[in-house]
Amino acid sequence: MSNVVIIGAQWGDEGKGKIVDLLAPEVNVVARYNGGNNAGHTVIVNGQKYILHLIPSAILHNDTLCLIGNGVVMDGAVMAAEMDALASKGVDVSPARLKISYKTHIIMPYHKALDQAREKSRGGNKIGTTGRGIGPCYEDKAARIGIRAADFLQPELMRAKIERALVEKNALLTGLFGLKAISVDEVMAEMLPVAERFAPYLADVGGEITAALQAGRSIMFEGAQGVHLDIDHGTYPYVTSSNAITGAAAVGTGISPACLDRVVGIAKAYTTRVGGGPFPTELLDENGEYLRQTGAEYGATTGRPRRCGWLDVVLLRETARLCGLTDIALTKLDVLSGLKELKICTAYTFKGRTLQFPPQEEDALAQVVPLYETLPGWDADISHARRWEELPPQAQGYINRIEELTGVRATLISVGPDRDATIRRDL
Ligand code: GDP
Ligand code: IMO
Ligand code: MG
């Protein structure tokens, strides 16, 4: 397979983990390029469930080299726990298989404290963050006071940087939020074992990828979150703090965008969202509950119920445009079985206009009225379908219509959480 970027096409949790795991045997290297342990990527292999937050979902394939790019923010304790859990199941997580960029920023205890304190103080206006310190860690990166994985090699320098950062952090924690100050000693006590453990994993990730490409190998770039959670192009301010569009794969690993060949947008056959923010096609009725229960729509990271709604093609069109999607992988089609009618949002009306793309003004998405097209549903259980011909005509019609409306071909159709519950159409 050529080099491929995996993009969350909606608001996250589209089934990226399953698709990465499925395609992993066709590439040699898989690199994560954004986000941190706000992500939860579920992979089910032989009935066994793995939820990966930081390590690429391809780690379960022995021959794949897994890389953590500079665009990722890493919580050392979470990474260590994830590695230990995998190792206890016999998965090789040695530095020969897993490498971390020197430039990856590290989530510190004060990032988590600030993330949680801020959310609490927002009252009814919460973003609904995962509370993992993601935003404050990216803030420090932009403010040029972040701690990077390279600092694991120089603990004294790391200590000095932390001490400097704590001056501002403690002023906020104590002065604004009424919390306890954090001492450099307690942070170092937590960070020294992390530094020691991960020092052997450090690598020039961009260099590794370039060398692999020169040796004729192929690369998959694993995205976290989704395009509409992108810090620039998502539903700001109800977004995460990193980029989730195709360009992030290049920036977040340190390679040229010219080597990105295919861009696969993973899209659920309906829409979900966790946390706050506008959601035009949200269903607050029994259909929404049906999707939540049938699709087991509860967050893989926080366990929160996911908000559910009809498929929103306006969002997908925007994703296709922003990301240059070459393919769609349509997931969870099986969840729609049993619904008499299915609705697809094909456009919005906003201030008397009909829009094919989301309006750009802040908060406008909360005011649009979705325009729906109604399609017939199907009753049959499709979770055993493995070929296009095995899908009921109504399901084929639903997919055909999505392709027409987005202009992108659905080359992968997922009908269950397992690796093999997939219909492939020439990816
Ligand atoms: P990610 O964050 O994009 O990797 O997605 P998550 O793992 O957070 O959420 C997707 C959920 O849907 C997981 O529990 C998957 O096991 C499950 N899943 C993936 N594809 C399918 C599918 O086609 N059908 C069903 N029923 N479940 C699926
Ligand atoms: P995966 O990779 C779904 C959401 C949070 C919140 C907002 C900001 O599993 O698809 P943050 O902690 O990032 O500052 O929270 O972003 N969010 C996700 N929602 N899937 C994810 O990742 C998410 N990562 C962040 O719920 O609304
Ligand atoms: Mg997820």
Side-chain angles (χ1 to χ4, degrees):
M1 191 163 70
S2 40
N3 304 318
V4 59
V5 186
I6 298 296
I7 296 282
Q10 294 153 323
W11 277 299
D13 300 329
E14 299 90 350
K16 297 176 290 293
K18 166 178 165 162
I19 302 298
V20 169
D21 170 69
L22 178 79
L23 299 179
E26 293 162 42
V27 299
N28 310 97
V29 180
V30 177
R32 236 318 268 275
Y33 57 84
N34 69 336
N37 58 308
N38 46 352
H41 299 170
T42 313
V43 178
I44 296 183
V45 185
N46 299 328
Q48 190 160 16
K49 182 167 167 176
Y50 301 81
I51 298 181
L52 297 153
H53 300 287
L54 279 164
I55 300 179
S57 310
I59 194 79
L60 304 174
H61 298 266
N62 287 331
D63 299 330
T64 317
L65 174 64
C66 292
L67 305 172
I68 307 282
N70 56 279
V72 173
V73 288
M74 184 182 105
D75 183 320
V78 172
M79 182 77 174
E82 202 162 306
M83 285 165 63
D84 292 345
L86 287 166
S88 75
K89 289 177 178 158
V91 179
D92 176 8
V93 287
S94 68
R97 283 213 58 210
L98 177 64
K99 298 183 192 298
I100 302 166
S101 168
Y102 286 96
K103 301 172 187 167
T104 299
H105 278 253
I106 306 302
I107 298 179
M108 307 300 284
Y110 44 85
H111 293 143
K112 287 181 269 193
L114 278 172
D115 189 4
Q116 291 159 18
R118 271 203 202 126
E119 277 288 278
K120 223 169 169 182
S121 75
R122 284 177 75 107
N125 247 343
K126 288 187 191 347
I127 293 172
T129 74
T130 57
R132 304 298 197 258
I134 306 295
C137 186
Y138 281 113
E139 282 169 39
D140 279 6
K141 173 177 176 172
R144 295 156 293 186
I145 56 166
I147 307 300
R148 305 201 293 178
D151 299 335
F152 292 163
L153 301 176
Q154 300 187 66
E156 279 314 309
L157 176 67
M158 181 162 76
R159 186 186 172 91
K161 287 184 176 181
I162 292 170
E163 208 155 14
R164 267 203 303 276
L166 277 173
V167 176
E168 277 183 21
K169 307 301 169 194
N170 279 333
L172 282 172
L173 287 171
T174 59
L176 190 60
F177 296 116
L179 295 170
K180 217 165 72 37
I182 294 176
S183 74
V184 66
D185 287 338
E186 62 187 290
V187 178
M188 283 305 283
E190 201 173 316
M191 293 315 295
L192 281 175
V194 169
E196 202 170 315
R197 175 157 188 179
F198 290 110
Y201 287 84
L202 300 186
D204 171 0
V205 162
E208 291 277 342
I209 296 176
T210 307
L213 288 170
Q214 282 164 354
R217 306 213 164 93
S218 51
I219 322 292
M220 178 155 52
F221 297 87
E222 174 176 350
Q225 287 82 53
V227 166
H228 300 283
L229 288 171
D230 181 284
I231 179 80
D232 288 292
H233 303 287
T235 46
Y236 195 88
Y238 297 97
V239 293
T240 190
S241 297
S242 67
N243 289 109
I245 58 169
T246 306
V251 179
T253 56
I255 50 97
S256 159
C259 64
L260 307 175
D261 302 315
R262 301 191 82 142
V263 184
V264 183
I266 318 300
K268 241 176 231 184
Y270 47 99
T271 311
T272 64
R273 166 162 215 172
V274 203
F279 184 171
T281 64
E282 183 168 17
L283 288 165
L284 299 168
D285 59 6
E286 67 281 4
N287 283 328
E289 197 50 37
Y290 182 87
L291 293 173
R292 181 155 40 250
Q293 295 312 328
T294 319
E297 294 297 355
Y298 293 88
T301 296
T302 57
R304 291 178 289 179
R306 295 178 182 145
R307 301 157 65 192
C308 298
W310 297 121
L311 185 72
D312 187 338
V313 162
V314 181
L315 295 182
L316 290 186
R317 243 184 234 123
E318 174 89 331
T319 296
R321 185 180 70 83
L322 286 165
C323 294
L325 293 189
T326 58
D327 305 73
I328 284 178
L330 193 69
T331 62
K332 304 192 93 162
L333 189 68
D334 53 305
V335 174
L336 298 180
S337 297
L339 287 167
K340 287 224 148 17
E341 289 186 331
L342 302 171
K343 290 191 178 184
I344 297 181
C345 168
T346 56
Y348 300 145
T349 52
F350 177 64
K351 295 185 177 165
R353 286 175 294 145
T354 303
L355 303 179
Q356 303 295 317
F357 290 90
Q360 304 270 314
E361 299 95 307
E362 175 144 343
D363 208 33
L365 203 65
Q367 298 160 44
V368 301
V369 178
L371 290 176
Y372 288 111
E373 197 172 287
T374 304
L375 280 81
W378 59 90
D379 268 329
D381 173 8
I382 59 168
S383 58
H384 299 290
R386 298 292 176 267
R387 292 185 304 119
W388 174 256
E389 297 74 28
E390 290 165 20
L391 288 174
Q394 297 90 333
Q396 293 179 349
Y398 187 71
I399 299 165
N400 288 339
R401 190 66 185 128
I402 295 168
E403 293 184 331
E404 271 168 28
L405 290 165
T406 57
V408 185
R409 193 165 147 78
T411 50
L412 282 171
I413 296 150
S414 174
V415 292
D418 289 325
R419 254 180 211 169
D420 67 335
T422 315
I423 297 168
R424 296 194 61 163
R425 298 159 86 202
D426 70 37
L427 179 72

